Amino acid sequence: MSMDIDAPVSIATLPSIPHTGATILCCNCGAPIDGTSSAGALCYDCVKLTVDISEGIQREATLHICRDCERWLQPPAHWITAALESRELLALCLRKLRGLSKVRIIDASFIWTEPHSRRVKVKITIQQEAFQGTIIQQTFEVEYVVNYHQCPDCAKSFTANTWRAVVQLRQKVPHKRTFLYLEQLILKHSAHRDTINIKEVKDGLDFYYAARNHAEKFVDFLTSVAPVRSKKSQELISMDIHTSTKSYKFSFSVELVPICKDDLVALPIKLAKQIGNISPLTICYRVGTSINLLDPNTLQTADVSTPIYWRSPFVSLADVQELVEFVVMDIEPVGPQKGRFLLAEATVARASDLGVNDTTYFTRTHLGAVLHPGDSVMGYHLTGTNFNNPNFEALEQSSAHASSIPDVMLVKKFYARKKKNKSRNWRLKRMNKDEGEMLPKKQDQDRMERDFEMFLRDVEEDTELRSTVALYKAQQEKRERDRMEGVETASVAETEETEGEELPRIEMEELLDEFEGLEVEDEE
């Protein structure tokens, strides 16, 4: 039995009635528009032409910048640092405009202007609902005039007695070599950028600050790079009895240890036993965060930390101004090598005794890697020298150490140079310092130049010291001019002195390019 299937029957669909809206003409230009959605009987083009959503927003404004510190004034009294065409400066420009908070900002960008025109132009794109359901986007330009206005911090820096904190850095030594090295560390790490003035005084420097926290930050930096001790004091300037508001001036006294590189040091016997049973008569070969001492007889080294030194302070037995020139007659390495030090036995004679007598001295030295027969070397002549030092007198009276006091202690190799080397391919930066009310005397100026030349020679000869400072390439024109002056003024004797001996030089790979705009003084 089979089932019959009905044939498909088509169902007619109802005809769709098109939806037509009311069409009207624009009252301004006559263009047909939808009357149900148009506002004000205006087409979109006429709305853009007749409605100004930027009305009430400034087209001109003024920006204030301090020409000394190059900071911008953010009203009412806040100064910010912002580069030209930076996001920070753009945000400052937008905050300066009145009426901008009533619209929605879509985009904002700078328009290039001449650098010397003192004008800043900004193109701003905004959106706002003109009528119900009609949103308009509009772009316009705002021109800013840049005016100079001195900030309070710079005004204080140019006015006397406006500081709030001072760091008094002192070191009681007859030369400035340690200060010169500390100055290079300060410049390398830009630790002086918050100072409002730097004044040079006897035995040190004074750093003035507008805020106490800047001075405390600088004291922390000094503590991290040098063996110092600090003491804080404060002075009441004024007090408001109604609000109990007090104004103080703070002073930080920072004292450097009076031990410098290449000084001869006589340690207290008790302290020498505590720091590794080292010989009490040592040489200071480096001053970092602690005092690094070396015994030339055994190459034993010891470190005297800052707390240990200030618990029982001592002074140097002799400094670099008392070094005597010796000539190496014979030298023979005898011991192990520790880093750049090599133990050797040397026979030396004073350079002033050559041709006068045949007195020679036998000593052990740590300079076996750099000294050869005929070289000149600087050292301390202990035989026949009277030292007014209680630690050295205790050594002479000690039965254990009196016999170990040598006749000569060699410190460093001496290179025959001109009085002032003008052919250096490098230079150091110097800080701008206020010399105070009175200029230094001529003998003081000569001593400062001599100390700086000695420091430059230390930088050339000591690789470890050179790695901690920033060296810059000398300007080519100045180097050529100095070289020609040196050629013209060089004598035959100076030429013969340096002939055949390789002077220590600094390679160009170790030097930095010199940039413009560094707020420091060039000195060579």
Side-chain angles (χ1 to χ4, degrees):
M1 182 178 175
S2 61
M3 295 181 62
D4 296 334
I5 300 176
D6 296 337
V9 180
S10 61
I11 300 175
T13 58
L14 296 175
S16 61
I17 303 174
H19 180 73
T20 58
T23 302
I24 64 175
L25 299 179
C26 174
C27 65
N28 192 13
C29 64
I33 57 175
D34 188 3
T36 60
S37 60
S38 63
L42 293 172
C43 64
Y44 184 72
D45 294 334
C46 292
V47 169
K48 289 194 299 181
L49 292 175
T50 58
V51 178
D52 185 13
I53 63 174
S54 65
E55 185 179 2
I57 301 176
Q58 294 175 262
R59 291 297 196 276
E60 293 182 355
T62 304
L63 295 175
H64 293 92
I65 183 174
C66 178
R67 70 169 69 201
D68 297 315
C69 61
E70 297 184 353
R71 292 189 299 173
W72 302 84
L73 174 62
Q74 179 176 328
H78 186 57
W79 292 83
I80 63 173
T81 302
L84 289 176
E85 300 190 3
S86 62
R87 298 183 61 181
E88 293 81 6
L89 184 59
L90 184 60
L92 176 62
C93 293
L94 296 180
R95 292 194 195 101
K96 293 280 290 186
L97 297 181
R98 292 192 302 267
L100 202 60
S101 59
K102 299 178 182 179
V103 297
R104 179 185 179 188
I105 301 176
I106 299 301
D107 186 26
S109 61
F110 286 100
I111 300 176
W112 185 86
T113 56
E114 291 287 346
H116 61 275
S117 64
R118 291 171 57 185
R119 297 293 187 272
V120 175
K121 290 186 178 181
V122 179
K123 184 173 70 173
I124 305 175
T125 303
I126 59 175
Q127 274 186 359
Q128 191 181 24
E129 188 176 16
F131 302 101
Q132 184 177 4
T134 304
I135 297 177
I136 295 180
Q137 180 171 310
Q138 188 173 348
T139 301
F140 61 96
E141 296 180 5
V142 181
E143 181 176 345
Y144 297 85
V145 180
V146 180
N147 289 337
Y148 291 123
H149 184 77
Q150 194 175 41
C151 67
D153 295 337
C154 293
K156 288 182 179 180
S157 65
F158 290 102
T159 308
N161 302 321
T162 57
W163 52 272
R164 280 290 174 263
V166 58
V167 178
Q168 300 171 337
L169 183 60
R170 299 290 185 270
Q171 186 185 33
K172 297 179 176 60
V173 291
H175 55 82
K176 297 284 186 181
R177 292 170 62 217
T178 306
F179 266 108
L180 292 171
Y181 173 63
L182 191 58
E183 177 185 4
Q184 298 304 316
L185 292 179
I186 293 173
L187 288 173
K188 182 178 181 180
H189 298 279
S190 300
H192 67 301
R193 63 178 176 269
D194 294 325
T195 58
I196 60 176
N197 191 18
I198 301 175
K199 185 177 292 186
E200 190 168 2
V201 296
K202 187 178 183 297
D203 295 333
L205 296 171
D206 287 346
F207 298 84
Y208 295 92
Y209 293 90
R212 182 183 64 175
N213 57 341
H214 293 161
E216 292 176 343
K217 181 180 177 181
F218 184 68
V219 172
D220 293 339
F221 170 77
L222 294 177
T223 307
S224 65
V225 298
V228 299
R229 67 172 175 181
S230 60
K231 185 166 58 174
K232 174 185 173 183
S233 62
Q234 60 186 22
E235 178 185 0
L236 179 64
I237 303 301
S238 62
M239 181 178 66
D240 188 353
I241 60 175
H242 301 288
T243 60
S244 298
T245 303
K246 301 178 182 179
S247 178
Y248 289 95
K249 279 190 174 181
F250 300 90
S251 298
F252 297 86
S253 176
V254 181
E255 183 180 359
L256 273 166
V257 296
I259 308 295
C260 301
K261 183 176 177 291
D262 298 334
D263 282 0
L264 180 63
V265 178
L267 295 172
I269 298 178
K270 181 179 179 182
L271 178 61
K273 292 180 180 179
Q274 292 176 351
I275 59 176
N277 200 20
I278 193 174
S279 174
L281 195 61
T282 58
I283 293 175
C284 176
Y285 70 95
R286 184 175 56 214
V287 177
T289 54
S290 61
I291 304 173
N292 305 124
L293 303 174
L294 170 70
D295 180 14
N297 292 322
T298 61
L299 297 187
Q300 183 181 355
T301 58
D303 297 341
V304 180
S305 61
T306 305
I308 292 178
Y309 175 82
W310 292 115
R311 199 177 303 145
S312 57
F314 53 88
V315 296
S316 60
L317 189 62
D319 55 37
V320 291
Q321 297 181 348
E322 303 175 37
L323 288 173
V324 180
E325 183 180 354
F326 293 89
V327 177
V328 180
M329 311 302 293
D330 187 21
I331 186 168
E332 182 180 355
V334 295
Q337 184 171 1
K338 292 184 178 180
R340 57 192 177 99
F341 302 134
L342 176 62
L343 187 62
E345 293 180 347
T347 303
V348 297
R350 291 178 59 179
S352 59
D353 291 344
L354 294 180
V356 179
N357 54 51
D358 298 334
T359 306
T360 59
Y361 303 95
F362 180 79
T363 183
R364 304 187 82 180
T365 179
H366 60 289
L367 304 174
V370 295
L371 292 182
H372 304 89
D375 288 346
S376 296
V377 61
M378 304 299 290
Y380 295 104
H381 192 202
L382 304 182
T383 302
T385 305
N386 294 325
F387 295 104
N388 187 14
N389 189 290
N391 295 331
F392 188 72
E393 293 176 0
L395 286 181
E396 292 180 327
Q397 297 172 3
S398 173
S399 58
H401 301 286
S403 59
S404 62
I405 299 177
D407 297 331
V408 172
M409 291 191 72
L410 304 181
V411 178
K412 60 180 179 179
K413 185 178 180 180
F414 177 71
Y415 297 92
R417 290 185 178 92
K418 303 174 186 178
K419 185 177 180 181
K420 187 175 181 181
N421 188 7
K422 293 187 177 182
S423 61
R424 290 190 175 98
N425 61 342
W426 57 278
R427 67 191 329 176
L428 295 175
K429 295 289 184 180
R430 301 296 304 277
M431 287 190 300
N432 289 326
K433 297 185 288 289
D434 185 4
E435 295 179 348
E437 299 177 356
M438 297 181 61
L439 293 176
K441 300 178 181 179
K442 187 178 185 304
Q443 56 267 27
D444 295 338
Q445 188 70 25
D446 295 340
R447 179 177 56 84
M448 292 168 60
E449 292 180 359
R450 188 168 56 251
D451 291 343
F452 188 66
E453 178 65 23
M454 190 180 301
F455 176 70
L456 293 180
R457 295 183 180 183
D458 288 342
V459 172
E460 287 178 336
E461 298 170 6
D462 194 344
T463 308
E464 294 181 1
L465 177 65
R466 191 161 64 236
S467 62
T468 59
V469 299
L471 305 178
Y472 295 89
K473 296 178 182 178
Q475 296 178 3
Q476 184 67 24
E477 299 83 4
K478 180 175 177 56
R479 191 165 66 245
E480 288 293 332
R481 184 175 65 252
D482 293 343
R483 186 181 63 82
M484 294 306 297
E485 290 178 1
V487 170
E488 293 174 0
T489 59
S491 62
V492 178
E494 291 175 339
T495 306
E496 291 177 353
E497 283 180 356
T498 57
E499 197 173 278
E501 186 175 6
E502 186 68 25
L503 295 179
R505 291 186 60 85
I506 298 179
E507 300 298 333
M508 294 296 293
E509 291 79 8
E510 304 180 46
L511 305 180
L512 302 175
D513 290 324
E514 187 174 1
F515 293 97
E516 297 290 338
L518 291 176
E519 297 179 358
V520 285
E521 178 185 354
D522 293 344
E523 190 125 349
E524 190 168 356

